[in-house]
Amino acid sequence: MFVQITKEEFSKEVNKKAWYQTNNIIWTIIFLYPIFSIIDFIYSPDIWIQFLIVRIITVLVILGLYTYFQNRKYDYRILLHISFLLLSIISALLCNIVNDQQLTIYFLTYSVIILFFNLQVFWEPVNSVIQGLVAIMLLAIFFNTLNTYNLDLVVNNGGQYFIIILFISCLIPNARYKVIEREVRSTILIEKSNEQLKIQNHDIAEKNAIIDMQYDRLRKLDEQKNSFINIAGHDLKNLIGSIIMSNNMVKEEDYRLSSDQREFVQYISDSADKMQYMLNKLMDVKEIESPELKFNMEIFDINAEVQTIFKGLVETALMKNIHLVDNILKLPLNVKLDKVFTGQIFQNILSNCIKFSQTNNNIRVVTSLQRQRFVFEVIDEGVAIGQEELDMMFNKLKTLNDASGHMESRLGLGLSIAKLMTKELGGELTYKSDENGNYFRVEFYVIN
């Protein structure tokens, strides 16, 4: 998280801090400066009344200036310079009119005022240097006009302490100014960072609320899905049971059937058994909710299985005037796979080719053995479906509609299932669609 501070923001905060410190100085002067008359009462009783009045007037002038500057939002530095100048004039005057026995105490009092001022003030160090020079200049002016002492007497009676304290106190604002600037910068950074964190926390809370709401919707949809599967599964079980029972009744009188009819009855029986097997897998809730589907691995001749699928779809193809070309290898090739799901892969691919192929078209079904791998190929040399649409059909479980609206609604579910099952069974499925037509290829390892 990167926070930037603009010049306006920094200047505004610095000004607030400066006025805070200025308030402390002004109100301290207003409340404490008249008390300095106690020193006058003790050490200069002959002039303390006059200077008490002067101090009170000075405090009232400073208070009036403070109110005026705040209302007009003038620069606080000017207010401090004027206030310090008024205090310096009175202190420099006192240091030059009292007798030599009281010089030390008044120089120390003047030093305390300057030290307090520089300890509290927040401004550029050059301002304190200017005030220091003004203090020395005022002392020099009043010394030349009012004082009858020589310079050595003034220096030895508190003047040396005043110069030392004045020099040291002028160094303080430099460090203080840098420290407070860093504090102001840190304060702004912390405030802005906290503000950003509040915004981010608010955004996170909103997103969490959306996630929770979506999670509830998904949970409800999952419950509806499971409920639908249970209802549909039980209904399908009854229908498949009726098909099997009816087919068995026909089998009992197979002596009355022709050879073609017996073949169809056997095909119905095999298809019903496969449907029942797949439905049982679907209805197994533990397997539905587990990340992996448990297959019933068995050794079988995969060419024979392809031949069975091929024969079962010949009539479907003829209904669309499509000719299936049999280039299925007659050599038995054994694999160890789930026979039902493997057959479903070939069934989905070939039936989709028939569904989307144009009439009066040839579709070749080819199997081969290449580098100890069984290869199943479907070659449709008709109009290409399109690689992009084929990608969607293999990768998304949703309905894809042809842009022209004249072809059938293309459901990618069967091909998506074929791709998923091939991968789960350890095989590889590839496909392409170009100007030469549509091509599908499935590979499985064979058993030596």
Side-chain angles (χ1 to χ4, degrees):
M1 183 174 60
F2 183 71
V3 179
Q4 286 186 327
I5 302 174
T6 63
K7 289 183 179 179
E8 292 76 12
E9 289 174 328
F10 183 69
S11 177
K12 183 179 178 181
E13 284 299 317
V14 166
N15 196 55
K16 282 171 60 179
K17 187 71 175 178
W19 266 107
Y20 174 77
Q21 296 300 124
T22 301
N23 291 339
N24 292 340
I25 294 171
I26 297 300
W27 286 106
T28 302
I29 292 171
I30 290 170
F31 285 111
L32 297 182
Y33 189 61
I35 300 176
F36 279 39
S37 293
I38 297 173
I39 298 173
D40 299 336
F41 178 76
I42 296 172
Y43 294 100
S44 300
D46 54 332
I47 60 172
W48 81 274
I49 292 290
Q50 294 90 324
F51 274 90
L52 172 62
I53 296 169
V54 170
R55 292 183 197 277
I56 293 173
I57 292 171
T58 302
V59 165
L60 292 175
V61 170
I62 291 174
L63 178 60
L65 289 171
Y66 170 72
T67 305
Y68 181 77
F69 271 69
Q70 272 207 326
N71 292 336
R72 296 298 181 91
K73 301 188 182 302
Y74 287 158
D75 191 346
Y76 68 95
R77 296 174 185 83
I78 300 174
L79 173 63
L80 290 174
H81 278 298
I82 295 173
S83 301
F84 190 79
L85 179 62
L86 292 174
L87 298 179
S88 291
I89 291 172
I90 298 170
S91 298
L93 181 61
L94 280 167
C95 288
N96 284 281
I97 63 173
V98 297
N99 58 49
D100 58 345
Q101 290 83 9
Q102 281 77 46
L103 278 177
T104 301
I105 189 66
Y106 277 97
F107 270 117
L108 289 176
T109 303
Y110 195 3
S111 301
V112 167
I113 293 172
I114 292 174
L115 185 61
F116 161 76
F117 205 93
N118 285 317
L119 283 173
Q120 291 293 317
V121 76
F122 173 54
W123 60 10
E124 294 78 1
V126 67
N127 293 283
S128 291
V129 174
I130 292 171
Q131 288 295 339
L133 295 174
V134 168
I136 294 173
M137 184 181 67
L138 288 172
L139 283 171
I141 292 171
F142 288 131
F143 178 79
N144 288 328
T145 56
L146 301 175
N147 211 326
T148 58
Y149 314 129
N150 59 45
L151 186 61
D152 290 337
L153 182 65
V154 173
V155 171
N156 293 328
N157 286 276
Q160 74 276 32
Y161 303 126
F162 175 79
I163 296 298
I164 293 170
I165 294 172
L166 177 65
F167 176 76
I168 294 172
S169 65
C170 285
L171 299 176
I172 295 172
N174 182 40
R176 182 174 174 78
Y177 188 77
K178 292 179 180 178
V179 169
I180 293 181
E181 268 197 330
R182 283 199 295 268
E183 287 180 0
V184 169
R185 193 176 296 275
S186 300
T187 301
I188 296 172
L189 286 173
I190 291 170
E191 288 176 355
K192 294 189 77 172
S193 299
N194 287 339
E195 191 63 31
Q196 285 192 5
L197 287 173
K198 286 179 183 178
I199 294 171
Q200 290 176 355
N201 286 337
H202 183 263
D203 291 341
I204 291 170
E206 286 185 345
K207 289 175 182 177
N208 285 338
I210 293 171
I211 290 171
D212 290 340
M213 183 172 64
Q214 291 177 342
Y215 173 76
D216 289 338
R217 288 180 61 190
L218 288 173
R219 182 175 52 79
K220 290 177 181 177
L221 287 173
D222 187 61
E223 291 173 356
Q224 292 174 359
K225 176 208 70 176
N226 289 335
S227 177
F228 173 77
I229 289 174
N230 288 330
I231 295 169
H234 284 94
D235 290 344
L236 287 171
K237 272 187 175 181
N238 293 332
L239 293 173
I240 294 171
S242 298
I243 293 171
I244 293 173
M245 182 179 67
S246 301
N247 196 56
N248 288 337
M249 293 174 64
V250 174
K251 274 185 176 180
E252 290 176 358
E253 299 186 9
D254 62 345
Y255 62 89
R256 299 171 60 182
L257 305 176
S258 64
S259 59
D260 288 342
Q261 288 173 332
R262 290 193 190 95
E263 186 178 351
F264 288 139
V265 168
Q266 186 60 42
Y267 181 77
I268 292 171
S269 179
D270 293 341
S271 298
D273 289 339
K274 290 179 181 179
M275 288 173 64
Q276 195 169 47
Y277 172 80
M278 294 181 73
L279 185 59
N280 287 335
K281 285 284 184 183
L282 183 65
M283 290 300 295
D284 189 341
V285 177
K286 290 182 180 179
E287 289 188 356
I288 290 172
E289 294 179 348
S290 67
E292 295 182 358
L293 187 65
K294 295 181 177 64
F295 295 106
N296 181 27
M297 308 301 278
E298 57 181 305
I299 297 173
F300 63 94
D301 178 8
I302 195 166
N303 276 323
E305 182 65 20
V306 173
Q307 190 69 53
T308 303
I309 301 297
F310 181 88
K311 288 181 179 179
L313 292 172
V314 168
E315 292 296 328
T316 304
L318 289 175
M319 290 174 65
K320 288 190 66 174
N321 251 349
I322 293 172
H323 178 57
L324 294 183
V325 180
D326 182 356
N327 291 136
I328 300 171
L329 194 66
K330 300 304 184 281
L331 174 70
L333 291 176
N334 289 333
V335 294
K336 187 174 183 180
L337 301 167
D338 188 302
K339 187 175 181 180
V340 174
F341 282 104
T342 303
Q344 196 63 37
I345 292 169
F346 303 144
Q347 173 92 18
N348 288 358
I349 293 173
L350 188 53
S351 63
N352 270 273
C353 279
I354 295 169
K355 181 178 181 181
F356 303 135
S357 185
Q358 296 75 33
T359 57
N360 302 316
N361 188 31
N362 292 335
I363 298 177
R364 286 197 298 130
V365 179
V366 183
T367 64
S368 58
L369 178 64
Q370 300 178 20
R371 298 186 301 278
Q372 286 303 109
R373 289 169 72 93
F374 164 78
V375 178
F376 168 82
E377 297 171 287
V378 176
I379 303 165
D380 177 8
E381 298 177 351
V383 177
I385 295 173
Q387 187 66 32
E388 184 178 350
E389 189 167 350
L390 213 55
D391 285 339
M392 296 177 70
M393 294 169 72
F394 269 99
N395 292 292
K396 294 184 179 179
L397 304 178
K398 69 174 186 178
T399 302
L400 301 173
N401 295 317
D402 184 73
S404 65
H406 298 299
M407 296 181 67
E408 300 174 68
S409 175
R410 296 180 171 180
L411 183 64
L413 184 60
L415 296 179
S416 297
I417 292 172
K419 183 179 180 181
L420 176 64
M421 289 298 102
T422 303
K423 181 179 178 181
E424 292 293 323
L425 290 169
E428 183 179 351
L429 188 152
T430 55
Y431 57 90
K432 66 179 180 179
S433 182
D434 52 29
E435 65 275 4
N436 297 319
N438 307 298
Y439 174 78
F440 306 88
R441 178 187 178 103
V442 178
E443 297 181 34
F444 288 112
Y445 281 103
V446 299
I447 297 174
N448 291 329

